[in-house]
Structures are given as structure tokens and as C-alpha cells.
Amino acid sequence: MNASRPAPALTPSGAPETRKPLIEMRRIVKTFHTPAGDFHALKGIDLCFYEGEFVAVVGRSGSGKSTLVNMITGIDHPTAGSVFVGEVEIHRLPEGKMSIWRGKNLGIVFQFYQLLPMLTLLENVLLPMDFAGVIPWAQREDRARSLLDLVGLGDEADYLPAEISGGQQQSAAVARALANDPPMIIADEPTGNLDSKTANAVFAIFTRLAGEGKTIIMVTHDNSLARRTGRAVYLSDGGLVNSAGQEARR
């Protein structure tokens, strides 16, 4: 049986969104089996994201927001339901093809940076290019240096992650996420460990990228940041709610 399509998002004016979604989540359920019993992290989520959107996914710890974005990245698989990116139902891909698809289509920014400590910042940014093979070899170093310049780290390109601050490491992680010029950036609590100045700088980069047509999905518990994005999606106990905490209508 085909999953029903989610209700369309609304534009800022309140009119239904008529564009074809870039990402379409249909009736997503995620259940974790534990010794204490089943834990339902996501409960039938219907949700769409569109090209060029900057969307915040907001909720308290345990609300299901990180699990939701893990469905989009393919890091985790739904117990039931489907995730389409374009025409690709991503969880139908075998693991090898999933890795290739992820490298070409997604840039992922983690809360704790996940930079390889034995590589310089430049080498960390080059690594995704080497894996995906999207960027011609002769252009890779120039591109990596340009991306580090973009996030304010051009002078630190040859530093190891341990030689720079946490905020600078997160900025380097943003540069790495952009390495293969992906159409989508998924950022899981990217400002959670940053001071307000650095958080604003990272946020400004995301805003600029959305203006250039990239789709930015940012997980956050910070309502003040969420209000500055184009759209905010609120989760509580694995379900969609409105900004007042009431269950969203289907």
C-alpha cells in the first residue's frame, strides 16, 4: 500500500505550498526496541521540505528531532513509512549506493564537529571530495581553501583541529559540509556548543546558502534561532506540534 502524501506546507501568507517538495516524508514511524519496552521516537510524521528553504526543526531533548533528520540523511532507517528525496526513495538504496548518494547530495554538520583530529583543516575539507569524486582533482585544493576563507578560517587551513577553538572547529565542519557543493545541508544542533557571536556567524552562513538555493535543515532547541529561519517545525514526544505545543492537524 502506498503511503498517503503529507499535507502541503503553508507559505508565510498562509496559502498552501504548491511547489514540488525536494524532500517528502510519508508517515514516518521509528520504534526502538529496548529491555524496558518499545520506545516510539517518531509517530507517523508527514513532512515536506522545499528547495531553497531554511527550516528549523525544534524540540526538547528526546522529542525526536535528531531521529527525524537521521531519516533524511540515511544514517537511520524508519520502522515504517518512506522518505523521498527528489524521485529517490532513499531507504531502498543498498548501503554502497546510499553512501555515494549521501556524498553527492548531503552536507552534514554535527554538534560535536566530527573533524578527524590527525588531519589539518584543509585535509578535513578535502576528504569528502576525495570520497565522492564530484570535484575534479585539480580543483580540489583551491575549492577547499575558498571554503575555509568563506567561514573565516583561511589563515588556519594548515592547523590541526586541536589547535583552534570549538567555534572555529564548527566553522570548519560547515566548510567540510560544503565540499561537494551539495543541494542540502543538514545541521544537528550546530550552534549548541558555540558562544553567541560564533553561533550568529554560523547562522549567517546558513542564511546566505539558503539564499543561493540550498536547502538548510537545522535541528535546534533554541527558539530564538528558530524564529529567524524561514520556517520552523516543532516536535514533541515524536509527533509534530504547533509553536504553542499543540498537536498538529493531519
Side-chain angles (χ1 to χ4, degrees):
M1 179 182 295
N2 292 330
S4 61
R5 287 182 175 271
L10 299 180
T11 65
S13 66
E17 175 62 72
T18 58
R19 291 176 295 169
K20 183 176 177 60
L22 176 62
I23 301 166
E24 188 173 7
M25 308 184 79
R26 305 179 186 174
R27 306 296 296 169
I28 296 297
V29 173
K30 180 62 182 182
T31 301
F32 293 100
H33 303 291
T34 74
D38 289 349
F39 172 68
H40 304 290
L42 296 174
K43 303 172 182 176
I45 298 293
D46 286 332
L47 192 58
C48 291
F49 300 93
Y50 298 86
E51 183 178 351
E53 273 201 303
F54 187 0
V55 183
V57 178
V58 190
R60 296 179 179 177
S61 178
S63 63
K65 57 188 187 298
S66 292
T67 303
L68 185 144
V69 297
N70 286 345
M71 300 296 114
I72 299 170
T73 62
I75 290 174
D76 203 351
H77 289 66
T79 305
S82 302
V83 179
F84 285 85
V85 180
E87 300 301 322
V88 178
E89 188 175 4
I90 60 172
H91 297 103
R92 299 284 186 184
L93 296 174
E95 189 53 42
K97 289 186 177 180
M98 169 69 82
S99 297
I100 294 169
W101 176 87
R102 189 185 293 122
K104 292 180 177 180
N105 290 281
L106 289 178
I108 304 175
V109 182
F110 299 97
Q111 181 177 0
F112 295 103
Y113 328 134
Q114 304 295 340
L115 299 172
L116 294 181
M118 73 292 295
L119 300 182
T120 66
L121 303 187
L122 179 66
E123 290 166 338
N124 267 282
V125 178
L126 284 168
L127 195 60
M129 301 187 209
D130 294 338
F131 281 142
V134 174
I135 308 299
W137 185 88
Q139 299 175 19
R140 291 176 190 174
E141 182 169 342
D142 284 346
R143 176 168 177 78
R145 290 189 182 279
S146 294
L147 290 171
L148 288 169
D149 281 337
L150 173 69
V151 299
L153 292 172
D155 292 339
E156 290 81 14
D158 296 318
Y159 286 31
L160 294 172
E163 297 176 310
I164 60 175
S165 69
Q168 288 173 313
Q169 289 185 59
Q170 188 62 293
S171 296
V174 172
R176 181 187 57 190
L178 295 170
N180 290 314
D181 196 25
M184 296 169 283
I185 303 294
I186 311 295
D188 192 354
E189 295 280 8
T191 62
N193 295 311
L194 306 181
D195 61 82
S196 59
K197 180 179 179 181
T198 307
N200 283 329
V202 170
F203 187 91
I205 293 170
F206 289 152
T207 301
R208 172 180 170 182
L209 292 170
E212 294 172 356
K214 294 192 183 297
T215 299
I216 314 295
I217 302 174
M218 180 184 72
V219 171
T220 184
H221 63 273
D222 188 334
N223 279 299
S224 64
L225 278 182
R227 285 191 291 269
R228 293 165 57 189
T229 64
R231 177 162 65 104
V233 173
Y234 294 85
L235 275 84
S236 179
D237 296 326
L240 293 174
V241 298
N242 63 26
S243 58
Q246 299 168 327
E247 185 174 356
R249 293 183 178 179
R250 297 192 183 281

